[in-house]
Each structure stands twice: as structure tokens, then as C-alpha cells.
């Protein structure tokens, strides 16, 4: 590790759970972030700051004025530009050592396999159940760890799924055997969201990804963190594997 990297990551390397060996693992890691929105913004910044070597970013959207209240990776001057382009510039300004791979397209059945198979860990920052289900399916197929988060209003939740490892761990569809109808679920655009809550969950998502890469601490497979900002409460609930799940069993 050269001098500049030793200085940049000094506070991280000082952690006994990380050290120089752990920092090298992060440098060699590839993380795919699906969705460069409210969750993706802090997630991308913290992954880059931590020294993740390669970050893939997939998002088909362009920056809008209404995004700026919570999507902190963008600036007013970015309005109208592709999100992936702006995110890559922000990451490069923060940490030029990080390699970024842009996918300015919608994540779907036509590109899911070819993209997901190239990464070590998949971070789900999408905003609908159909996409989350597809991500889950492809992560199972390609044996990739999935760290998934969602936020609405003043609350958010976070979990890790790696049912491909053994039958004691659930997949996303164990949690939702029957997918909720997306148009029947409140969204950020219909019910609102507090930007700082999205930031909290996105940063937490980055932490769980780093833990998974370094194999440290207690992961969230089989558990879900539920955070409620209004009551300042955090609850951890168990997600049991579904023995009849058609996706992971």
C-alpha cells in the first residue's frame, strides 16, 4: 500500500477488525449499487470513501429538482443530467482510486444476469417490489450476497440475504412470498420521505456491505433492522426461512 493510501485510510486501518489486510480486501472488492437515488447517494459516497476498489452504478434516470432534498450526491447544477454520470464525477472527486462502472439503463430481465455476475456484493437501493424480487432471484442464481434497504416517510429497514449458502438463511421472497402490489404501496412521491432518514439507512447499508466483505461482526442475514425516526426506536426482527419458498428451496 502506497503512502497516499496509508494516509487516506489511516483511521480505518487503525481498526483491528480492518487493518492493512482488510483494507486490501476492500480495494480488491467489486460492489454493484442498483439505484442511484436517496439510498444510493450516501451508500455510493461511503463505499468510495472506504476504499472499495470497483463500484458499479445502474440507474436510468436523470437528476430532477425534487431529488436534491435527499439525493445528496447531486448538486443543483446537475439537474437534467444522467444520474450515473453525476455520481461518477462525485465519486472521482472524493476518491480517484475507486474505479466506477456506469450502467445508464433500467435494471431488468435483459441485463440482470450479465451485470450481477460481475460483482461480489449487490446493494439494492431500488424503489419497487418487482425490481427487488428480480434482484433476489439473480443473486440466488449467481450466489451473490444481497444487502437490501428501503425507506418511506420517517422509517426504514435493512437486511442481508444470502440463502444460497445454506437452507437456514432466508431470501427476500421468504419475507414476501406474495409480492405486494407496487401501486398499492405508499412511495416517496406519494407519501413523502425525510431526507436525513434516507441518509441514515444508506450509510448503515454501506456499513453492512463492508462487514460482509471483511467477514467481521454480526451480519443481518435472517434479521431485519427496522428504524423509526419519529419514535427514535430501532428494532431487530427475525426473518425465518420459508421451507416452501419457490426461489431458494
Amino acid at each position: 500500500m502506497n503512502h497516499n493510501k496509508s494516509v487516506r485510510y489511516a483511521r480505518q486501518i487503525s481498526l483491528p477488525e480492518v487493518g492493512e489486510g482488510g483494507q486490501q480486501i476492500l480495494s480488491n472488492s467489486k460492489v454493484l449499487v442498483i439505484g442511484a437515488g436517496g439510498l444510493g447517494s450516501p451508500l455510493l459516497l461511503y463505499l468510495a470513501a472506504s476504499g472499495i476498489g470497483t463500484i458499479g452504478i445502474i440507474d436510468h434516470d436523470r437528476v430532477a429538482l425534487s431529488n436534491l432534498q435527499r439525493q445528496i450526491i447531486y448538486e443543483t447544477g446537475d439537474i437534467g443530467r444522467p444520474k450515473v454520470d453525476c455520481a461518477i464525477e462525485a465519486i472521482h472527486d472524493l476518491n480517484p482510486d475507486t474505479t466506477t462502472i456506469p450502467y445508464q439503463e433500467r435494471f431488468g430481465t435483459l441485463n440482470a444476469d450479465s451485470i450481477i455476475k460481475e460483482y461480489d456484493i449487490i446493494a439494492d437501493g431500488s424503489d419497487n417490489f418487482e425490481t427487488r424480487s428480480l434482484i433476489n432471484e439473480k443473486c440466488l442464481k449467481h450466489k451473490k450476497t444481497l444487502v437490501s434497504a428501503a425507506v418511506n416517510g420517517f422509517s426504514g429497514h435493512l437486511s442481508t440475504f444470502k440463502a444460497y449458502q445454506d437452507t437456514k438463511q432466508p431470501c427476500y421472497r421468504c419475507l414476501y412470498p406474495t409480492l405486494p402490489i407496487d401501486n398499492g404501496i405508499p412511495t416517496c412521491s406519494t407519501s413523502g420521505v425525510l431526507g436525513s432518514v434516507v441518509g441514515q439507512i444508506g450509510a448503515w447499508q454501506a456499513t453492512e456491505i463492508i462487514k460482509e466483505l471483511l467477514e467481521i461482526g454480526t451480519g443481518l442475514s435472517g434479521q431485519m433492522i427496522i428504524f423509526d425516526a419519529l419514535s427514535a426506536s430501532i428494532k431487530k426482527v427475525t426473518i425465518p426461512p420459508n421451507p416452501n419458498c419457490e426461489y431458494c428451496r
Side-chain angles (χ1 to χ4, degrees), residues 34 120-125 132 135-137 139-140 144-149 159-162 164 171-172 205 209 212:
I34 301 176
D120 302 313
I121 286 190
I122 311 304
D124 178 12
R132 292 172 192 152
I135 296 169
N136 175 74
E137 179 183 340
C139 284
L140 288 170
K144 304 295 183 181
T145 295
L146 167 61
V147 180
S148 181
S159 187
T160 296
F161 299 97
K162 43 185 179 180
Y164 64 88
C171 78
Y172 181 80
Q205 191 175 13
I209 289 170
E212 290 291 333

Side-chain angles (χ1 to χ4, degrees), residues 55-114:
I55 301 176
I57 311 167
I58 181 165
D59 198 303
H60 70 287
D61 209 358
R62 292 176 178 268
V63 180
L65 178 60
S66 60
N67 297 150
L68 302 183
Q69 164 260 357
R70 64 200 177 280
Q71 299 182 19
I72 58 171
I73 202 168
Y74 308 119
E75 301 177 353
T76 301
D78 293 327
I79 292 173
R81 298 181 61 206
K83 287 185 177 180
V84 291
D85 291 350
C86 301
I88 284 173
E89 289 178 7
I91 289 171
H92 185 266
D93 287 344
L94 175 62
N95 189 353
D97 292 333
T98 295
T99 298
T100 50
I101 302 176
Y103 304 92
Q104 191 187 340
E105 53 194 285
R106 188 186 294 274
F107 182 84
T109 56
L110 296 180
N111 59 12
D113 286 301
S114 62

